[in-house]
Amino acid sequence: MKKLILLSVALSFAVQLFSQYSISNTSYDFYDEDRTRWIETFVYYPSVIDSGTSETFPFIVLGHGFSMSYSSYSYLWEHLVPQGYIVVL
C-alpha cells in the first residue's frame, strides 16, 4: 500500500512538472448595450495555442469585484495557465 501511494505521488509530481505551459495573454473590449459601457476583458492562456495546436483546454471565467483590478487575481492565472487552463477576467 505504501508503494502504491508513493508511486501515485511521484507520478502526480512528474505529470505536473512536465505538463507546464508558458503564459500568453490578450485583451478584448465588449460593449454592454444595457449599461452603455465598454467592458475590458483579459484572457490568459497557454502559449501553445499561439502555435495552432489542436489541443483543447478548459477555461475559467471570473467576474472580479467592482473596486478590484483584474491584476489582483494574478496568482490565479499564474498558477492555472501553466497547468493547461484558459483564464478570462
Side-chain angles (χ1 to χ4, degrees):
M1 184 66 172
K2 288 182 183 179
K3 287 182 181 181
L4 181 61
I5 292 172
L6 182 60
L7 179 62
S8 23
V9 168
L11 188 58
S12 172
F13 178 73
V15 167
Q16 286 184 7
L17 183 64
F18 293 109
S19 67
Q20 298 291 310
Y21 295 100
S22 341
I23 301 173
S24 287
N25 65 27
T26 190
S27 66
Y28 298 96
D29 291 324
F30 296 98
Y31 188 69
D32 180 354
E33 292 183 12
D34 291 337
R35 292 181 278 177
T36 61
R37 67 182 182 121
W38 288 94
I39 300 170
E40 192 172 18
T41 306
F42 299 92
V43 181
Y44 293 86
Y45 58 92
S47 345
V48 69
I49 292 175
D50 290 333
S51 64
T53 182
S54 61
E55 291 181 71
T56 58
F57 297 94
F59 63 92
I60 297 170
V61 178
L62 175 68
H64 54 84
F66 176 72
S67 64
M68 294 181 68
S69 168
Y70 75 97
S71 61
S72 299
Y73 297 94
S74 62
Y75 68 95
L76 285 175
W77 76 71
E78 289 170 352
H79 178 74
L80 293 170
V81 173
Q83 294 183 30
Y85 288 88
I86 298 170
V87 178
V88 180
L89 297 155

